[in-house]
Every structure is written in structure tokens, then in C-alpha cells.
Amino acid sequence: MRKTADLTVDQKTTIDTLHKEGKTQKVIAKEAGCSQSSVSKHINREAKGRKRCGRKKCTSNRENRTLERIVKQNPCKNVGEIHKEWTAAGVSASRTTTHRRMQDMGFSCRIPCVKPLLNNRQRQKRLAWAKDKKDGTAAEWSKVMFSDESQFYISFGNQGPRVWRKRGEAQNPRCLRSSVKFPQSVMVWGAMSSAGVGPLCFLRSKVNAAVYQDVLEHFMLPAADQLYGDADLISQQDLAPAHSARATSTWFKDHGIPVLNWPANSPDRNTVENLWGIVKKKIRYARPNNAEELKATIRATWALITSCCSAGAWNTADNRIEHPFTVALVLGCY
């Protein structure tokens, strides 16, 4: 049997109609398919004109609008600070009431997303770039080979898998996640396109123009041959000093490879960043102990991604890309 709060609109209509006809509550309950107590409570509530129970709110709509304005102006303040500012505006309410009103307005405390710091000039350039690229077709974007470097660490800080443990096992070595002050790391260069991913390059030194050109010569060109063959391609890279150096631009011109125009400070538009995130998420569970194990894990994960690309088996439900250049369209155009 349903409770009064669970009555459907049809049941409530049936109860009201039969009650006006003078039917007994037993008959009404049978016709409506609910308990007799539910019928009785609904009839009594309608007779008394009671729409809801509970104490009247201690704050007015105007005071609630003041709170909403305070939250929007200071979204990074905690509940205590917001409550103090709200009461300073002449509102008499407790900290719990402040928190409850914020929840009623739809506010939730969440970890903020991290985005590049942009000035107005950079924003305008990003907007102009998006407008210029918004009409790009899938065939045009499939010619673009996205590439970038990424740093991989053995320790992932607070990220990583959770652990199942019993009470008193918090210090059990089996339940601990190790941390070091200066974790070993490796710098990796990789490339991807609608045709799949290319070979990885593990960098041993700081990336300057000379090192980057060696990477292009020994890894980018083989990746282009692997992914495109004799077809035309467009290389994508960000505006890091090694990428935007005059010698690097000359290298691309000498090899006849066009470079995609790219707005400054825009790593969030690069599809390969999504791929790095996928790889880092998957290697968290491997827990490598040194740099060589970390490299082996990255290679193994990258090899799996290569087979997924060639088979077209990317799945967004598994936090993977549905199709490589689908994200290029989404992140690159909008």
C-alpha cells in the first residue's frame, strides 16, 4: 500500500471525485488502489486546505535574495564567512539555516575546475580562433595530428585508488599509499589523430628547440607515415618556446608540413590532453616503483589505446574517447 506522499496525480483525482460522490473511504481506497489511511489523510488535508507541514521559514524571500547575491559575489568563501556576511546585512539566522538556504538555491560545495589563466587579449584571440574553425568539417579535422609533452610521476598525491580496510588497519602497510618528497618522473612526447596514435618518445633532458626538432625528426615523421602514409596532414602544437622557436618553424617549412594556427595558453583545446588524462588514470592502479617500471606501464597503456583506436572501440561510458577527432571537433571548435 502507498503512503499519502506517494499518491499519484490519478489516484488523487480518483479520491477527490469519489469523495464528492459520497463514496465511503473503503470503496475509494479499493478504486484508487491505495490504503484507507492514505485516503483519509488526503481528504483531511484537502478539507483543511493544508498544502504542506512544517514550521514557517524564518527568512523572507528578500533576505534569501540577499544571500544568493552574497554567494555569487564570493563563491570561494566557506559557509561560516557567508553566514557572517549575511547576518551583518541584518538577517537573523543560524549557520545551519544559511547552509540550508544555499542548498535550497541549488548551491553545492565542489572542487573548482582548473583552467588556464587568460587575459582579455588571449580571450579575444581564442574567440577569434573558435569562430574561424567552427565551420571545419570532420574530413578537415581528421587531417590534424595533435601532439604535446606530458610529465608522468610515480606518486599521484591524493589521487589514486581507494582501499578497503577494517577498523584498526589504517597503518597496515597493505593499506597505505606511499609518498615521497621528490618522486621520480618521466617526460613523454606523443601524438594522435583520427587514425590512431603514434610512437611515444621519452625525453631525457629539458625540451628546447634542438631537442624538440630531434623529436620531430625521429618520432613525428614516423608517426605521420604510420597514421597518414602519403596523405596530407596538419601538425598541431601549442606555443611553448621550443615549439614556437624560429628554428622549429624553419624545420616545418623545410619539410613541407603546415602547422595549425593555435591560440596562446589553450591546453584545454588540445585533444591529446584528454588522452594523457586517460593514460594517467589507468596507470594509477599499476603503482610502479621506479622510473623504468613507470615507462613500461606507460608503453603498455599506450599500446592498448593504439589497438582501441584501430578497432574503433572508444567508449565514453568507460571514460574513453568515442572517436579521436570527435573530441578535436568539440574542443577545437567550441
Side-chain angles (χ1 to χ4, degrees), residues 21-88:
E21 295 177 356
K23 303 293 184 179
T24 63
Q25 293 184 2
K26 186 175 181 180
V27 174
I28 296 174
K30 186 176 181 180
E31 291 291 332
C34 60
S35 66
Q36 187 172 339
S37 62
S38 297
V39 174
S40 176
K41 290 178 181 179
H42 177 73
I43 293 174
N44 292 333
R45 178 177 288 107
E46 293 296 324
K48 296 179 181 179
R50 295 180 59 187
K51 299 298 181 182
R52 58 174 296 168
C53 302
R55 187 176 57 183
K56 183 180 179 181
K57 291 184 177 180
C58 64
T59 57
S60 64
N61 292 334
R62 183 176 182 178
E63 293 172 336
N64 294 338
R65 288 194 298 269
T66 302
L67 175 62
E68 185 174 9
R69 184 168 58 253
I70 292 172
V71 176
K72 289 182 177 180
Q73 291 175 349
N74 307 281
C76 294
K77 288 189 175 182
N78 57 40
V79 177
E81 293 171 332
I82 293 174
H83 168 67
K84 185 177 181 179
E85 189 171 346
W86 195 31
T87 53

Side-chain angles (χ1 to χ4, degrees), residues 205-214 241-243 245 248:
S205 61
K206 185 177 179 180
V207 181
N208 53 31
V211 173
Y212 184 60
Q213 290 166 40
D214 287 338
H243 301 174
T248 303

Side-chain angles (χ1 to χ4, degrees), residues 9-219:
V9 176
D10 293 338
Q11 286 177 320
K12 292 178 180 179
T13 304
T14 302
I15 293 173
D16 293 337
T17 302
L18 296 178
H19 179 64
K20 291 179 181 179
E21 295 177 356
K23 303 293 184 179
T24 63
Q25 293 184 2
K26 186 175 181 180
V27 174
I28 296 174
K30 186 176 181 180
E31 291 291 332
C34 60
S35 66
Q36 187 172 339
S37 62
S38 297
V39 174
S40 176
K41 290 178 181 179
H42 177 73
I43 293 174
N44 292 333
R45 178 177 288 107
E46 293 296 324
K48 296 179 181 179
R50 295 180 59 187
K51 299 298 181 182
R52 58 174 296 168
C53 302
R55 187 176 57 183
K56 183 180 179 181
K57 291 184 177 180
C58 64
T59 57
S60 64
N61 292 334
R62 183 176 182 178
E63 293 172 336
N64 294 338
R65 288 194 298 269
T66 302
L67 175 62
E68 185 174 9
R69 184 168 58 253
I70 292 172
V71 176
K72 289 182 177 180
Q73 291 175 349
N74 307 281
C76 294
K77 288 189 175 182
N78 57 40
V79 177
E81 293 171 332
I82 293 174
H83 168 67
K84 185 177 181 179
E85 189 171 346
W86 195 31
T87 53
V91 180
S92 177
S94 65
R95 185 182 184 278
T96 303
T97 299
T98 304
H99 190 200
R100 189 182 299 116
R101 292 294 179 274
M102 292 167 61
Q103 290 179 324
D104 294 340
M105 295 172 188
F107 290 106
S108 299
C109 187
R110 296 289 186 268
I111 298 175
C113 298
V114 179
K115 290 290 183 180
L117 179 63
L118 300 171
N119 54 38
N120 291 331
R121 184 179 179 184
Q122 291 171 336
R123 290 192 181 95
Q124 292 300 322
K125 287 187 175 181
R126 280 167 59 104
L127 180 60
W129 184 90
K131 290 180 178 179
D132 180 59
K133 302 298 181 182
K134 68 178 181 179
D135 297 325
T137 63
E140 292 173 344
W141 281 107
S142 64
K143 297 179 182 179
V144 179
M145 184 169 68
F146 297 86
S147 64
D148 198 14
E149 301 87 15
S150 184
Q151 193 90 13
F152 285 77
Y153 293 91
I154 290 179
S155 175
F156 290 92
N158 293 328
Q159 299 179 347
R162 295 176 179 267
V163 61
W164 291 97
R165 72 187 187 200
K166 295 181 179 179
R167 179 174 295 181
E169 293 184 340
Q171 302 302 320
N172 190 316
R174 179 178 55 83
C175 302
L176 297 176
R177 183 170 64 243
S178 301
S179 64
V180 294
K181 184 176 293 186
F182 303 106
Q184 295 185 56
S185 64
V186 294
M187 177 70 77
V188 188
W189 177 92
M192 66 164 291
S193 73
S194 62
V197 297
L200 290 176
C201 174
F202 291 91
L203 304 170
R204 298 182 179 179
S205 61
K206 185 177 179 180
V207 181
N208 53 31
V211 173
Y212 184 60
Q213 290 166 40
D214 287 338
V215 173
L216 296 176
E217 188 74 36
H218 297 98
F219 290 90

